[in-house]
mmCIF file of all heavy atoms in Angstrom:
data_model
loop_
_atom_site.group_PDB
_atom_site.id
_atom_site.type_symbol
_atom_site.label_atom_id
_atom_site.label_comp_id
_atom_site.label_asym_id
_atom_site.label_seq_id
_atom_site.Cartn_x
_atom_site.Cartn_y
_atom_site.Cartn_z
ATOM 1 N N GLY B 16 -0.641 17.553 -41.869
ATOM 2 C CA GLY B 16 -0.053 18.880 -41.909
ATOM 3 C C GLY B 16 -0.845 19.871 -42.728
ATOM 4 O O GLY B 16 -0.627 21.088 -42.635
ATOM 5 N N GLY B 17 -1.792 19.375 -43.543
ATOM 6 C CA GLY B 17 -2.617 20.255 -44.354
ATOM 7 C C GLY B 17 -3.640 20.995 -43.515
ATOM 8 O O GLY B 17 -3.788 20.760 -42.308
ATOM 9 N N ILE B 18 -4.378 21.904 -44.159
ATOM 10 C CA ILE B 18 -5.371 22.718 -43.452
ATOM 11 C C ILE B 18 -6.731 22.497 -44.100
ATOM 12 O O ILE B 18 -7.096 23.200 -45.052
ATOM 13 C CB ILE B 18 -4.996 24.208 -43.485
ATOM 14 C CG1 ILE B 18 -3.585 24.417 -42.944
ATOM 15 C CG2 ILE B 18 -6.004 25.029 -42.662
ATOM 16 C CD1 ILE B 18 -3.096 25.851 -43.039
ATOM 17 N N PRO B 19 -7.491 21.520 -43.610
ATOM 18 C CA PRO B 19 -8.839 21.335 -44.155
ATOM 19 C C PRO B 19 -9.733 22.501 -43.749
ATOM 20 O O PRO B 19 -9.626 23.029 -42.637
ATOM 21 C CB PRO B 19 -9.311 20.024 -43.524
ATOM 22 C CG PRO B 19 -8.465 19.850 -42.320
ATOM 23 C CD PRO B 19 -7.164 20.526 -42.588
ATOM 24 N N ILE B 20 -10.606 22.891 -44.660
ATOM 25 C CA ILE B 20 -11.554 23.977 -44.403
ATOM 26 C C ILE B 20 -12.950 23.465 -44.703
ATOM 27 O O ILE B 20 -13.198 22.912 -45.782
ATOM 28 C CB ILE B 20 -11.242 25.204 -45.286
ATOM 29 C CG1 ILE B 20 -9.818 25.705 -45.023
ATOM 30 C CG2 ILE B 20 -12.261 26.315 -45.019
ATOM 31 C CD1 ILE B 20 -9.370 26.792 -45.984
ATOM 32 N N ILE B 21 -13.831 23.652 -43.754
ATOM 33 C CA ILE B 21 -15.221 23.219 -43.901
ATOM 34 C C ILE B 21 -16.101 24.454 -43.784
ATOM 35 O O ILE B 21 -15.902 25.273 -42.886
ATOM 36 C CB ILE B 21 -15.603 22.185 -42.819
ATOM 37 C CG1 ILE B 21 -14.614 21.013 -42.846
ATOM 38 C CG2 ILE B 21 -17.026 21.694 -43.036
ATOM 39 C CD1 ILE B 21 -14.772 20.057 -41.664
ATOM 40 N N ASN B 22 -17.041 24.569 -44.696
ATOM 41 C CA ASN B 22 -17.864 25.771 -44.767
ATOM 42 C C ASN B 22 -19.322 25.503 -44.429
ATOM 43 O O ASN B 22 -19.860 24.441 -44.760
ATOM 44 C CB ASN B 22 -17.786 26.348 -46.180
ATOM 45 C CG ASN B 22 -16.372 26.705 -46.559
ATOM 46 O OD1 ASN B 22 -15.724 27.554 -45.946
ATOM 47 N ND2 ASN B 22 -15.847 26.024 -47.577
ATOM 48 N N CYS B 23 -19.944 26.487 -43.799
ATOM 49 C CA CYS B 23 -21.366 26.389 -43.491
ATOM 50 C C CYS B 23 -22.056 27.715 -43.765
ATOM 51 O O CYS B 23 -21.437 28.772 -43.655
ATOM 52 C CB CYS B 23 -21.590 25.977 -42.036
ATOM 53 S SG CYS B 23 -21.243 24.222 -41.768
ATOM 54 N N ALA B 24 -23.319 27.628 -44.125
ATOM 55 C CA ALA B 24 -24.116 28.815 -44.389
ATOM 56 C C ALA B 24 -25.485 28.646 -43.735
ATOM 57 O O ALA B 24 -25.982 27.531 -43.610
ATOM 58 C CB ALA B 24 -24.269 29.026 -45.892
ATOM 59 N N TYR B 25 -26.055 29.747 -43.305
ATOM 60 C CA TYR B 25 -27.373 29.696 -42.648
ATOM 61 C C TYR B 25 -28.221 30.839 -43.170
ATOM 62 O O TYR B 25 -27.721 31.792 -43.776
ATOM 63 C CB TYR B 25 -27.210 29.798 -41.121
ATOM 64 C CG TYR B 25 -26.635 31.120 -40.655
ATOM 65 C CD1 TYR B 25 -27.459 32.138 -40.186
ATOM 66 C CD2 TYR B 25 -25.254 31.349 -40.687
ATOM 67 C CE1 TYR B 25 -26.932 33.355 -39.768
ATOM 68 C CE2 TYR B 25 -24.722 32.563 -40.274
ATOM 69 C CZ TYR B 25 -25.564 33.558 -39.814
ATOM 70 O OH TYR B 25 -25.040 34.761 -39.409
ATOM 71 N N GLU B 26 -29.533 30.725 -42.925
ATOM 72 C CA GLU B 26 -30.450 31.762 -43.382
ATOM 73 C C GLU B 26 -31.087 32.544 -42.233
ATOM 74 O O GLU B 26 -31.352 33.731 -42.364
ATOM 75 C CB GLU B 26 -31.566 31.131 -44.232
ATOM 76 C CG GLU B 26 -31.120 30.698 -45.627
ATOM 77 C CD GLU B 26 -30.644 31.869 -46.460
ATOM 78 O OE1 GLU B 26 -31.228 32.973 -46.348
ATOM 79 O OE2 GLU B 26 -29.664 31.694 -47.226
ATOM 80 N N ASN B 27 -31.331 31.856 -41.130
ATOM 81 C CA ASN B 27 -32.084 32.453 -40.031
ATOM 82 C C ASN B 27 -31.221 33.446 -39.253
ATOM 83 O O ASN B 27 -30.292 33.057 -38.541
ATOM 84 C CB ASN B 27 -32.598 31.347 -39.112
ATOM 85 C CG ASN B 27 -33.601 31.849 -38.104
ATOM 86 O OD1 ASN B 27 -33.663 33.034 -37.795
ATOM 87 N ND2 ASN B 27 -34.409 30.940 -37.582
ATOM 88 N N THR B 28 -31.541 34.726 -39.363
ATOM 89 C CA THR B 28 -30.736 35.744 -38.687
ATOM 90 C C THR B 28 -30.967 35.754 -37.178
ATOM 91 O O THR B 28 -30.277 36.469 -36.451
ATOM 92 C CB THR B 28 -31.048 37.134 -39.259
ATOM 93 O OG1 THR B 28 -32.456 37.358 -39.189
ATOM 94 C CG2 THR B 28 -30.595 37.232 -40.712
ATOM 95 N N ALA B 29 -31.912 34.966 -36.698
ATOM 96 C CA ALA B 29 -32.130 34.863 -35.250
ATOM 97 C C ALA B 29 -31.102 33.942 -34.591
ATOM 98 O O ALA B 29 -30.954 33.945 -33.372
ATOM 99 C CB ALA B 29 -33.536 34.349 -34.970
ATOM 100 N N PHE B 30 -30.395 33.141 -35.408
ATOM 101 C CA PHE B 30 -29.357 32.291 -34.850
ATOM 102 C C PHE B 30 -28.264 33.169 -34.262
ATOM 103 O O PHE B 30 -27.806 34.128 -34.895
ATOM 104 C CB PHE B 30 -28.746 31.387 -35.927
ATOM 105 C CG PHE B 30 -29.670 30.305 -36.416
ATOM 106 C CD1 PHE B 30 -29.504 29.785 -37.702
ATOM 107 C CD2 PHE B 30 -30.669 29.781 -35.624
ATOM 108 C CE1 PHE B 30 -30.337 28.782 -38.173
ATOM 109 C CE2 PHE B 30 -31.510 28.777 -36.082
ATOM 110 C CZ PHE B 30 -31.345 28.283 -37.365
ATOM 111 N N ASP B 31 -27.814 32.820 -33.063
ATOM 112 C CA ASP B 31 -26.727 33.619 -32.499
ATOM 113 C C ASP B 31 -25.653 32.772 -31.824
ATOM 114 O O ASP B 31 -24.821 33.298 -31.073
ATOM 115 C CB ASP B 31 -27.276 34.669 -31.523
ATOM 116 C CG ASP B 31 -27.634 34.075 -30.178
ATOM 117 O OD1 ASP B 31 -27.838 32.855 -30.114
ATOM 118 O OD2 ASP B 31 -27.696 34.828 -29.192
ATOM 119 N N TYR B 32 -25.672 31.491 -32.093
ATOM 120 C CA TYR B 32 -24.674 30.607 -31.500
ATOM 121 C C TYR B 32 -24.303 29.583 -32.551
ATOM 122 O O TYR B 32 -25.198 28.925 -33.128
ATOM 123 C CB TYR B 32 -25.264 29.943 -30.264
ATOM 124 C CG TYR B 32 -24.359 28.939 -29.600
ATOM 125 C CD1 TYR B 32 -23.180 29.316 -28.969
ATOM 126 C CD2 TYR B 32 -24.695 27.580 -29.589
ATOM 127 C CE1 TYR B 32 -22.364 28.391 -28.360
ATOM 128 C CE2 TYR B 32 -23.885 26.647 -28.976
ATOM 129 C CZ TYR B 32 -22.718 27.060 -28.368
ATOM 130 O OH TYR B 32 -21.910 26.131 -27.760
ATOM 131 N N PHE B 33 -23.005 29.467 -32.824
ATOM 132 C CA PHE B 33 -22.551 28.646 -33.951
ATOM 133 C C PHE B 33 -21.407 27.752 -33.483
ATOM 134 O O PHE B 33 -20.243 28.128 -33.487
ATOM 135 C CB PHE B 33 -22.088 29.554 -35.111
ATOM 136 C CG PHE B 33 -23.152 30.506 -35.569
ATOM 137 C CD1 PHE B 33 -23.295 31.754 -34.989
ATOM 138 C CD2 PHE B 33 -24.032 30.137 -36.585
ATOM 139 C CE1 PHE B 33 -24.286 32.628 -35.396
ATOM 140 C CE2 PHE B 33 -25.023 31.001 -37.005
ATOM 141 C CZ PHE B 33 -25.150 32.253 -36.414
ATOM 142 N N PRO B 34 -21.743 26.512 -33.094
ATOM 143 C CA PRO B 34 -20.686 25.586 -32.646
ATOM 144 C C PRO B 34 -20.269 24.622 -33.745
ATOM 145 O O PRO B 34 -20.986 24.414 -34.728
ATOM 146 C CB PRO B 34 -21.402 24.822 -31.525
ATOM 147 C CG PRO B 34 -22.833 24.788 -31.963
ATOM 148 C CD PRO B 34 -23.073 26.040 -32.785
ATOM 149 N N TRP B 35 -19.132 24.036 -33.559
ATOM 150 C CA TRP B 35 -18.653 22.936 -34.391
ATOM 151 C C TRP B 35 -18.449 21.720 -33.493
ATOM 152 O O TRP B 35 -17.898 21.832 -32.399
ATOM 153 C CB TRP B 35 -17.325 23.292 -35.068
ATOM 154 C CG TRP B 35 -17.475 24.232 -36.209
ATOM 155 C CD1 TRP B 35 -17.459 25.597 -36.148
ATOM 156 C CD2 TRP B 35 -17.670 23.897 -37.585
ATOM 157 N NE1 TRP B 35 -17.627 26.126 -37.399
ATOM 158 C CE2 TRP B 35 -17.755 25.101 -38.316
ATOM 159 C CE3 TRP B 35 -17.764 22.686 -38.297
ATOM 160 C CZ2 TRP B 35 -17.937 25.140 -39.690
ATOM 161 C CZ3 TRP B 35 -17.936 22.721 -39.661
ATOM 162 C CH2 TRP B 35 -18.025 23.946 -40.343
ATOM 163 N N TYR B 36 -18.909 20.577 -34.010
ATOM 164 C CA TYR B 36 -18.768 19.338 -33.265
ATOM 165 C C TYR B 36 -17.953 18.334 -34.081
ATOM 166 O O TYR B 36 -18.009 18.316 -35.314
ATOM 167 C CB TYR B 36 -20.149 18.729 -32.955
ATOM 168 C CG TYR B 36 -20.881 19.437 -31.838
ATOM 169 C CD1 TYR B 36 -21.657 20.566 -32.087
ATOM 170 C CD2 TYR B 36 -20.797 18.972 -30.529
ATOM 171 C CE1 TYR B 36 -22.322 21.213 -31.062
ATOM 172 C CE2 TYR B 36 -21.464 19.610 -29.500
ATOM 173 C CZ TYR B 36 -22.221 20.731 -29.772
ATOM 174 O OH TYR B 36 -22.876 21.368 -28.743
ATOM 175 N N GLN B 37 -17.244 17.498 -33.347
ATOM 176 C CA GLN B 37 -16.466 16.412 -33.945
ATOM 177 C C GLN B 37 -17.098 15.099 -33.479
ATOM 178 O O GLN B 37 -17.397 14.941 -32.291
ATOM 179 C CB GLN B 37 -15.015 16.493 -33.465
ATOM 180 C CG GLN B 37 -14.098 15.398 -33.959
ATOM 181 C CD GLN B 37 -12.746 15.455 -33.230
ATOM 182 O OE1 GLN B 37 -12.676 15.365 -32.014
ATOM 183 N NE2 GLN B 37 -11.661 15.634 -33.979
#
Side-chain angles (χ1 to χ4, degrees):
Chain B
I18 306 176
I20 301 172
I21 305 170
N22 300 298
C23 285
Y25 64 98
E26 286 298 323
N27 191 339
T28 54
F30 290 154
D31 78 339
Y32 177 67
F33 303 89
W35 285 89
Y36 284 85
Q37 178 189 58

